[in-house]
Amino acid sequence: MRHRSVADLMTPTAIAVQRGTPFKEIARLLDEYGITAVPVVDDDERPVGVVSEADLLRRHTEKNGPSTAEGMMSSPAVVALPMWSAVEAARVMEKHRIKRLPVVDDHGRLIGVLSRSDLLQLFLRRDRAIQEEILEEIVTSTLRLPPSAVTIDVSEGHVTLSGTLPRRSLGPIVVRLCETVDGVVQVEDRLTYEEDEAA
């Protein structure tokens, strides 16, 4: 199974600013592009920090606060790599309590931005696509079971598995594999078994 990576989900050619970009220009960019934060890059296009709406609002309440990106940015920049899985990126966002991650290449140069809304695209996959991936990748390719062995119903990302498997020990494996499929929200196990090894 191939899970979608940061490279698949990110917005390429990210909007970025330099250290010396003034307050009003940053505010204009956030408004014009409908974004909540912008990476600050050095002369080599490497992220050195991020300026968010919160940073701008904080600066606005300070009479003699900094007026350029360098003075307002959160630094160092927390970045993602394009080969990361969506789960890795989501964990980094959660750990650092941020909504956007600059994405950098092998040389540390900015190549895109991944936002929380980009990650939500995973859960907007069509139910039919989820059903087909479970059937083809898990049931037939990985477990080598006939397609008729498991009935897969998917509704709004909720997967219900029914049918009869050869052994009870396969049940938890099928459920775990289904839970890793992009777009799956929950898995309900209604499987029965021809053989119960525990018995």
Side-chain angles (χ1 to χ4, degrees):
M1 287 180 293
R2 181 187 177 276
H3 297 292
R4 282 190 277 181
S5 65
V6 166
D8 297 325
L9 297 167
M10 72 179 189
T11 302
T13 60
I15 304 303
V17 298
Q18 300 288 324
R19 285 184 168 107
T21 305
F23 176 96
K24 283 194 174 181
E25 176 64 10
I26 297 170
R28 185 190 67 76
L29 287 170
L30 296 186
D31 179 61
E32 180 179 341
Y33 290 95
I35 53 180
T36 59
V38 63
V40 182
V41 296
D42 63 16
D43 293 338
D44 293 321
E45 295 297 311
R46 292 185 173 93
V48 293
V50 174
V51 176
S52 67
E53 288 175 326
D55 295 323
L56 293 181
L57 290 171
R58 192 161 41 247
R59 159 61 185 91
H60 191 62
T61 61
E62 300 171 0
K63 287 187 177 178
N64 298 312
S67 59
T68 63
E70 185 168 25
M72 294 182 289
M73 69 185 183
S74 301
S75 182
V78 179
V79 300
L81 297 174
M83 73 284 295
W84 283 8
S85 70
V87 172
E88 286 177 282
R91 284 179 178 156
V92 169
M93 284 185 184
E94 180 65 24
K95 178 182 177 181
H96 294 277
R97 297 184 178 180
I98 52 179
K99 298 177 182 178
R100 297 167 70 82
L101 283 171
V103 183
V104 298
D105 64 16
D106 293 339
H107 304 289
R109 294 189 184 94
L110 183 69
I111 57 172
V113 170
L114 182 77
S115 67
R116 283 182 181 174
S117 60
D118 294 327
L119 290 175
L120 286 175
Q121 294 302 312
L122 289 178
F123 298 100
L124 299 178
R125 282 186 82 190
R126 294 185 182 278
D127 291 337
R128 179 76 178 167
I130 295 170
Q131 182 185 43
E132 287 173 358
E133 182 174 339
I134 291 172
L135 181 63
E136 294 168 12
E137 298 291 330
I138 296 175
V139 176
T140 58
S141 296
T142 303
L143 299 175
R144 302 197 179 281
L145 296 170
S148 58
V150 180
T151 300
I152 306 151
D153 293 309
V154 185
S155 177
E156 300 292 320
H158 292 261
V159 176
T160 303
L161 302 173
S162 56
T164 303
L165 295 181
R167 298 180 307 282
R168 179 173 289 278
S169 59
L170 287 175
I173 296 170
V174 174
V175 171
R176 270 198 308 275
L177 289 172
C178 289
E179 288 171 342
T180 67
V181 171
D182 289 339
V184 170
V185 176
Q186 186 178 8
V187 180
E188 182 179 348
D189 178 2
R190 295 183 182 172
L191 295 163
T192 57
Y193 309 95
E194 294 173 3
E195 179 186 329
D196 186 344
E197 299 97 322

